[in-house]
Amino acid sequence: MNTRLTVAAGVLVALNALPLVSAQCQTTSGLSWRHKPDVKDNAISANVIANGLTKPRSVRWANDTLIVVDQGVGLVAFVEGGNDCANGWSKSVLVQNTDLNHGLAIQGSTIYASSVDNVFRYTINWSNRSVSSPETIIQGMNLAQNHKTRTLELYENWILVSGGASGNLEDESVDASHGTAQIRRFALNGTVPSGGYRWFDGELVSFGMRNAVGITMGADGRHLWTVENSADQLNYTSGGNLVDIHKDNPSEELNVVDMNSIGNFYGYPNCFTAWDMGSVVSGTSLATGDQFSIVPNVTDAQCGNTTYNTPPRLSMQAHSAPLDIQFYKADGVDENVAVTKDWNTHAFVSFHGSWNRDPPTGYGIVRIPWSGNEPSAKADAKDGYSFILQASDLAACPNGCFRPVGLAFDSRGRLFGTSDTTGELFVIHKATAASAALRMASSSTWFIIITTFMAAYVIT
Ligand SMILES: *[C@@H]1O[C@H](CO)[C@@H](O)[C@H](O)[C@H]1NC(C)=O
Ligand SMILES: *[C@@H]1O[C@H](CO)[C@@H](O)[C@H](O)[C@H]1NC(C)=O
Ligand SMILES: *[C@@H]1O[C@H](CO)[C@@H](O)[C@H](O)[C@H]1NC(C)=O
Ligand SMILES: *[C@@H]1O[C@H](CO)[C@@H](O)[C@H](O)[C@H]1NC(C)=O
Ligand SMILES: *[C@@H]1O[C@H](CO)[C@@H](O)[C@H](O)[C@H]1NC(C)=O
Ligand SMILES: *[C@@H]1O[C@H](CO)[C@@H](O)[C@H](O)[C@H]1NC(C)=O
Ligand SMILES: *[C@@H]1O[C@H](CO)[C@@H](O)[C@H](O)[C@H]1NC(C)=O
C-alpha cells in the first residue's frame, strides 16, 4: 500500500524536478506562438524563432543562412547565434522588393525569387551578405488571375516554375498551349535572352495541375514530386442529379512527374480524385484515389485511363491546401537536435488549411512515410500521412490558427517553417526531455496511471 503511494508520488516529484531546458538544446526563445499548435508526435518539439514578419512564404537554407520570402518586404535572412534550436536569431533584409511573393531557390551564391510576373536572379556575397541588383530571367508569367504563386525548384541545369489555373475551374487550361495550371522548365546553362525568357519559351513539364504550389525533386534526381491544391465547391452528376460533393472531395493530390517522360496531362479541369464519394453519392463505386469527371464529354472511365490522365500517387484530404513538400535526409545530421533518423527519406508537407469546408481541416504539418522512391502507402490509401503538428482548435481557424507555408530542413536535421497569417518562423526539432515529459504528464495515460494508484491506495 505504501509502495503504491510512493510510486505515485515519485512520478509527480520526478515531473516537477525535471529541468525546464536540457543541456544540449535550448528551446526557450522567449517568443510564444500567436496560436500555439498541438505537437502530434512525441519525438518532436516546436518553437517560434521569429515573429513580426509581414507574410512569410517560402523558406530555404543556404550557407548557414535561413532565407525567407517575406511578402510585402522582399528577401529576409536569419542567422543563428550562440544557442542551439531557438535562441539568438539575427535578422537582416537582403532585398527590398514588395513584388516578391512566394518562389525561392538557391544554388551556391545565386538566389532565384519570383513575383507574379517574373523570376529574378541575384548574386549574394556570403561574407557580407550583400546582394547584387536583380537580373530578370523569366518574364510574362502573369497568366492566372487568382493563383499568384510561381514556385521555383532547381535541378541539373534547369529551373522549374509552377503556375496555377486562372480561377477555380478554368476550361481553357485543358489545352497545354494556354499556359496555365502547369509546370515549365528553363535552361540555365546557356545565355538567358535579354529581358528574360518568355513563359512559353519554357519546355512543358506537366499540365492539368490546378495549383501545384509545392514542387520538390526527389532524392533520385529524376522524379519531381508536387502537391496540388484541387477544386472548391465541386458538384458531380449522378443519375441525372447534380450532387454537392465539395465537403470531402476532391482529394488534394501528391503527384509525381518522371523527368524522363515529361509533358503529360494530370486531369484538371476535367478529371478529379475521389477522397470520400461514398458518403454523398449513393451507389457509387468510386473509392479514394479513383478518378471521376465533372464535364459531360469525358467519362469517369476515360479519367481513369492513364493514357489520357495521370492520377496522383497519393491522396490527401479535400481542402487541406498543401503548399510545400520537403524530404528529410538524415545523413550527417546533429543527433542532439535532429528529428528522428527513423524519418530518413520521408516527405513533410505543410497544410495551409481549408476555407471551403465546415468544420475546417488542415492547418498543420504532416509526414508521409517513404520507402524507396515513393510513399509507403498505396495510391488508394486514406492514411498515407499523419500530422506531426496541427492547430489545436480547428473550429477557431482560419483566424485563430497558424497557417504553415514554406518548409526547409537545415544540415543539422531540424525542420524550419513559416506561418504567413501569423508572421511567424518556427523550428521543429528533436523533443527536449522537458517538453516530452510535460506532454506525457498532461496526457490522459498518466492521469489514469496516477489516479489508479491513488484509487488503489484509498481502496486498500
Ligand atoms: C560587400 O561586398 C560587396 C561585393 O560583393 C561590396 O560591393 C560591398 O562594398 C561590401 N560591403 C561591405 C560592407 O563590405
Ligand atoms: C565579398 O565581401 C567581402 C567583405 O566585404 C569582400 O572582401 C569580398 O571581396 C567580396 N567578394 C566579392 C566576390 O566581391
Ligand atoms: C559560404 O560563406 C562563406 C563566408 O561566409 C564563404 O567563404 C563560402 O564560400 C560560402 N559558400 C558558398 C557555397 O558560397
Ligand atoms: C544545356 O543543357 C541541355 C540539357 O542538358 C543541353 O541539351 C544543352 O546543349 C546545354 N546548353 C549549353 C549551352 O550548354
Ligand atoms: C455546384 O452547384 C452549386 C449549386 O447549384 C453552385 O452554386 C456551384 O457554383 C456549383 N459549383 C461549381 C464549381 O460550379
Ligand atoms: C469537353 O468539352 C469542353 C467544352 O466544350 C472542351 O473544352 C474540352 O476540350 C472537351 N474535352 C474533351 C476531352 O473532349
Ligand atoms: C485509353 O486511352 C487510349 C488513348 O486515348 C486508348 O487508345 C485506349 O484504348 C484506352 N484504354 C481503355 C482501356 O479504354
Side-chain angles (χ1 to χ4, degrees):
M1 158 190 105
N2 279 337
T3 318
R4 283 177 185 146
L5 177 61
T6 310
V7 171
V11 168
L12 293 170
V13 169
L15 289 171
N16 284 334
L18 278 172
L20 287 174
V21 176
S22 87
Q24 295 106 341
C25 188
Q26 298 264 348
T27 61
T28 49
S29 69
L31 298 177
S32 36
W33 294 89
R34 189 140 145 224
H35 307 293
K36 192 174 194 301
D38 286 342
V39 170
K40 297 286 198 181
D41 192 305
N42 283 334
I44 58 162
S45 298
N47 296 86
V48 176
I49 63 166
N51 58 20
L53 282 81
T54 303
K55 197 176 178 192
R57 299 282 298 185
S58 293
V59 59
R60 296 286 175 254
W61 270 99
N63 208 353
D64 294 328
T65 308
L66 186 63
I67 298 187
V68 181
V69 176
D70 193 9
Q71 209 180 95
V73 177
L75 299 182
V76 181
F78 289 84
V79 177
E80 193 170 14
N83 296 326
D84 284 344
C85 298
N87 266 337
W89 291 83
S90 60
K91 174 181 169 181
S92 59
V93 176
L94 297 182
V95 171
Q96 265 171 330
N97 180 348
T98 54
D99 290 341
L100 299 181
N101 70 346
H102 186 82
L104 178 67
I106 306 171
Q107 195 169 53
S109 56
T110 308
I111 300 177
Y112 300 85
S114 65
S115 66
V116 177
D117 204 34
N118 296 299
V119 177
F120 300 108
R121 177 159 70 184
Y122 307 84
T123 303
I124 183 167
N125 179 342
W126 287 113
S127 336
N128 70 2
R129 297 197 182 85
S130 78
V131 173
S132 69
S133 49
E135 175 194 3
T136 302
I137 64 157
I138 308 175
Q139 57 170 309
M141 301 198 300
N142 195 4
L143 303 171
Q145 290 305 309
N146 60 355
H147 292 131
K148 297 190 179 298
T149 60
R150 311 288 178 251
T151 309
L152 309 178
E153 171 76 344
L154 298 166
Y155 88 105
E156 294 175 356
N157 44 39
W158 303 98
I159 187 165
L160 295 154
V161 186
S162 173
S166 191
N168 185 36
L169 295 175
E170 186 196 19
D171 294 344
E172 295 82 356
S173 68
V174 76
D175 182 352
S177 67
H178 192 65
T180 53
Q182 56 188 238
I183 299 174
R184 288 182 181 255
R185 70 178 185 184
F186 302 81
L188 295 174
N189 55 334
T191 312
V192 172
S194 149
Y197 288 110
R198 269 70 173 174
W199 177 248
F200 292 101
D201 294 339
E203 190 177 0
L204 187 71
V205 169
S206 64
F207 70 112
M209 288 185 181
R210 179 177 174 278
N211 195 21
V213 181
I215 63 170
T216 300
M217 188 58 66
D220 65 356
R222 296 306 318 164
H223 291 91
L224 179 71
W225 293 89
T226 83
V227 286
E228 179 182 351
N229 291 249
S230 200
D232 300 306
Q233 307 286 22
L234 272 202
N235 304 304
Y236 174 75
T237 306
S238 171
N241 298 316
L242 202 61
V243 183
D244 176 354
I245 58 165
H246 88 275
K247 186 176 170 193
D248 288 312
N249 295 282
S251 295
E252 309 284 49
E253 302 185 2
L254 173 69
N255 289 301
V256 57
V257 180
D258 178 352
M259 297 308 292
N260 290 323
S261 164
I262 61 174
N264 293 313
F265 178 58
Y266 284 74
Y268 174 89
N270 294 343
C271 303
F272 292 88
T273 304
W275 176 257
D276 180 4
M277 292 288 271
S279 62
V280 276
V281 181
S282 61
T284 186
S285 61
L286 291 167
T288 304
D290 286 346
Q291 301 296 294
F292 62 87
S293 168
I294 61 155
V295 293
N297 54 348
V298 178
T299 62
D300 289 354
Q302 190 178 346
C303 286
N305 181 334
T306 55
T307 308
Y308 171 64
N309 165 35
T310 310
R313 177 57 187 79
L314 194 69
S315 289
M316 295 171 287
Q317 187 180 6
H319 313 299
S320 299
L323 295 191
D324 201 359
I325 172 166
Q326 292 295 318
F327 293 101
Y328 177 43
K329 293 188 198 80
D331 312 331
V333 297
D334 174 352
E335 290 184 41
N336 292 320
V337 296
V339 300
T340 171
K341 283 193 166 187
D342 294 347
W343 295 351
N344 186 29
T345 77
H346 295 194
F348 292 79
V349 176
S350 54
F351 283 179
H352 199 231
S354 61
W355 66 265
N356 193 220
R357 189 177 194 280
D358 187 15
T361 189
Y363 301 94
I365 294 171
V366 300
R367 176 175 64 91
I368 306 178
W370 216 257
S371 341
N373 283 323
E374 57 179 345
S376 304
K378 295 215 160 64
D380 61 358
K382 249 184 161 169
D383 59 356
Y385 61 91
S386 57
F387 280 91
I388 60 167
L389 198 63
Q390 191 177 29
S392 60
D393 179 11
L394 288 171
C397 300
N399 295 334
C401 298
F402 87 141
R403 298 197 82 175
V405 183
L407 296 174
F409 277 97
D410 74 345
S411 58
R412 299 173 69 196
R414 299 172 296 177
L415 179 58
F416 291 77
T418 57
S419 165
D420 60 355
T421 52
T422 59
E424 291 167 317
L425 199 53
F426 58 88
V427 58
I428 295 170
H429 51 85
K430 178 181 175 174
T432 56
S435 63
L438 287 173
R439 237 190 340 276
M440 279 166 73
S442 66
S443 78
S444 52
T445 314
W446 278 105
F447 179 73
I448 289 163
I449 291 170
I450 291 166
T451 49
T452 305
F453 275 122
M454 294 304 196
Y457 172 67
V458 169
I459 291 162
T460 51

